[in-house]
Amino acid sequence: LQLGAVVCVPYISAGRLKSLLVIGHRAAYDWRSDEIELTRALTARLWPAIERAQTEEKLREAEQRFRATFEQAPVGIAHVCPDGRWLLVTRRLCEIPGYSAAELLSRTFQDLTHPADLATDLDFMHRVLAGKMAGYAMEKRYYRQDGSLVWVNLTVSLVRDAAGEPKYFITVIEDITERKQGEEKLRESEERFRSVFESIDEGFCIVEMIFDEANRPVDYRFLQINPVFAQLTGLEDAIGKTARELVPELEEFWFETYGRVALTGEAIRFENGSVPMGRWFDVHASRVGGADSRRGAIIFNNITARKRAEEGQQLLAETSRLLPTSLHVTDRLETVGQLFVKEFADWCMLHLLAAD
């Protein structure tokens, strides 16, 4: 580049050198003062215009990014006036209540809000406007265009101007109708379960098995019981306590059986008696939860009366079998006494009274 004469004009803004304009001649040249002044004037106009254009381009790019984020967000986003009018709404927000953008912009959020939720929403909004809260979140219901209700999770924050005056709310709205419907179904299911749980004649409890370091079942803790549990078992205030606390001499059979159910997940039905409890039970036990669960559900009946009746019938049958007619009456009485000792007592005394 052949340079005979050059003029360099700097552009300084806010105390910083922002640019440098250089013009020149290939041959030697004596610059006139008016040419230099004109170059300075052009520089003073040119670079601010370029700066404005760069700023506008950055703003356009930022706005495009914002608009893309705004429109493609999986939740509804809106700008809302302090009086409740919608200023800006996204496509997703329009889909939630089923209105077009034009229809929403002609309404207020108060028009869509269920009356039972409106007072709380307005109270929160007024607190934010008064500077008592930075923002708020709540669950509420909107009316859809077809008159049905949609549950939303609402998150709200306020944008203020340079003077601190409210400009608009930024509102994020998430459709949570499915979750709410699931919660309602779960609540109804729990109510039905509770109703059955409270009303059935069978005893019911949920226990958590306790294993030692060798993974052997050593005890179980009662987590839930139904109202007839104490009546059928004789165990009072069982919740939170272990079987060994309540019945220290309880047979190992119960720990081994329930432990096997918890480990294998295989349900079991059985009848068994407990000497220290003085009762017989008809039991159905199954695991609650997945493979890692150590909890079991136990449904049972107290069958002690039935078992004693069966034992009584067996005793009568055995008595009849052991008393052949050929035996002397004394021998018969002795045989009966031996049977009673075997079944019921440590000793037995029989007195034969003289016949009248």
Side-chain angles (χ1 to χ4, degrees), residues 112-123:
L112 275 65
T113 301
H114 190 283
D117 303 326
L118 184 57
T120 301
D121 200 354
L122 291 174
D123 179 57

Side-chain angles (χ1 to χ4, degrees), residues 14 25-26 46 53 130 139 155 158 161 223 255 259 273 304 306 345:
H25 281 283
R26 291 189 177 88
L46 176 63
E139 294 180 356
T155 305
L158 179 64
D161 61 20
L223 303 180
F255 308 116
T304 307
R306 194 197 83 198

Side-chain angles (χ1 to χ4, degrees), residues 1 13 15 24 43 48-49 59 66 69 96 98 121 123 181 191-192 213 217 224 237 250 265 283 304 307 309 314:
L1 179 62
S13 176
T43 301
L59 286 173
F66 169 77
T69 301
I96 292 173
D121 200 354
D123 179 57
Q181 290 172 342
E191 285 181 356
R192 288 194 298 269
E213 294 180 355
Q224 264 185 290
D237 301 321
L250 188 63
V283 181
T304 307
K307 280 292 184 180
Q314 291 173 359

Side-chain angles (χ1 to χ4, degrees), residues 188-200:
E188 291 174 355
S189 175
E190 288 176 345
E191 285 181 356
R192 288 194 298 269
F193 168 78
R194 176 61 59 184
S195 176
V196 173
F197 185 76
E198 298 288 346
S199 62
I200 59 173

Side-chain angles (χ1 to χ4, degrees), residues 8 27 50 66-67 75 92 174 183 185 189 230 239 269 277-279 282 292 315 322 324 338 343 351:
C8 297
I50 292 174
F66 169 77
R67 174 61 63 178
V75 294
R92 176 59 186 141
E174 178 187 5
E183 290 174 353
K185 288 179 181 178
S189 175
I239 292 179
R269 176 77 179 267
M277 294 182 70
R279 286 169 167 81
D282 175 16
D292 294 334
L315 179 60
L322 294 175
Q338 291 173 353
E343 296 293 337
H351 291 282

Side-chain angles (χ1 to χ4, degrees), residues 4 15 55 64 77 81 159 194 196 201 206 260 275 280 283-284 288 302 318 322 335 352:
T55 300
Q64 288 172 357
I77 303 175
C81 277
V159 175
R194 176 61 59 184
V196 173
D201 295 331
I206 293 180
R260 186 165 58 251
V275 173
W280 274 83
V283 181
H284 181 274
V288 176
N302 185 328
E318 185 71 5
L322 294 175
T335 301
L352 181 62

Side-chain angles (χ1 to χ4, degrees), residues 117-304:
D117 303 326
L118 184 57
T120 301
D121 200 354
L122 291 174
D123 179 57
F124 282 146
M125 186 183 76
H126 292 150
R127 290 188 191 184
V128 172
L129 289 171
K132 296 178 180 179
M133 298 171 62
Y136 66 94
M138 65 176 289
E139 294 180 356
K140 59 181 279 188
R141 288 159 289 181
Y142 282 138
Y143 282 107
R144 297 183 195 268
Q145 190 177 36
D146 61 9
S148 62
L149 287 171
V150 55
W151 273 98
V152 300
N153 184 58
L154 180 74
T155 305
V156 179
S157 59
L158 179 64
V159 175
R160 297 181 182 272
D161 61 20
E165 294 299 315
K167 288 184 68 178
Y168 57 84
F169 291 100
I170 297 177
T171 304
V172 179
I173 300 170
E174 178 187 5
D175 186 342
I176 58 170
T177 304
E178 276 192 24
R179 194 197 83 198
K180 281 291 186 179
Q181 290 172 342
E183 290 174 353
E184 179 62 19
K185 288 179 181 178
L186 179 60
R187 185 188 63 79
E188 291 174 355
S189 175
E190 288 176 345
E191 285 181 356
R192 288 194 298 269
F193 168 78
R194 176 61 59 184
S195 176
V196 173
F197 185 76
E198 298 288 346
S199 62
I200 59 173
D201 295 331
E202 291 87 352
F204 179 83
C205 62
I206 293 180
V207 302
E208 182 158 25
M209 293 304 304
I210 300 171
F211 295 84
D212 64 13
E213 294 180 355
N215 209 31
R216 291 188 298 261
V218 294
D219 206 346
Y220 52 88
R221 188 180 306 279
F222 293 97
L223 303 180
Q224 264 185 290
I225 60 174
N226 71 339
V228 299
F229 176 90
Q231 175 187 335
L232 296 178
T233 63
L235 305 179
E236 300 289 344
D237 301 321
I239 292 179
K241 296 178 182 177
T242 68
R244 291 195 186 277
E245 286 180 278
L246 295 166
V247 189
E249 301 301 320
L250 188 63
E251 296 88 347
E252 290 297 320
F253 166 85
W254 302 97
F255 308 116
E256 293 170 359
T257 302
Y258 294 150
R260 186 165 58 251
V261 171
L263 290 173
T264 66
E266 296 178 3
I268 188 172
R269 176 77 179 267
F270 64 90
E271 292 182 358
N272 198 60
S274 172
V275 173
M277 294 182 70
R279 286 169 167 81
W280 274 83
F281 300 100
D282 175 16
V283 181
H284 181 274
S286 59
R287 185 170 67 192
V288 176
D292 294 334
S293 173
R294 293 297 177 260
R295 294 186 177 185
I298 302 168
I299 301 174
F300 63 93
N301 266 315
N302 185 328
I303 58 171
T304 307

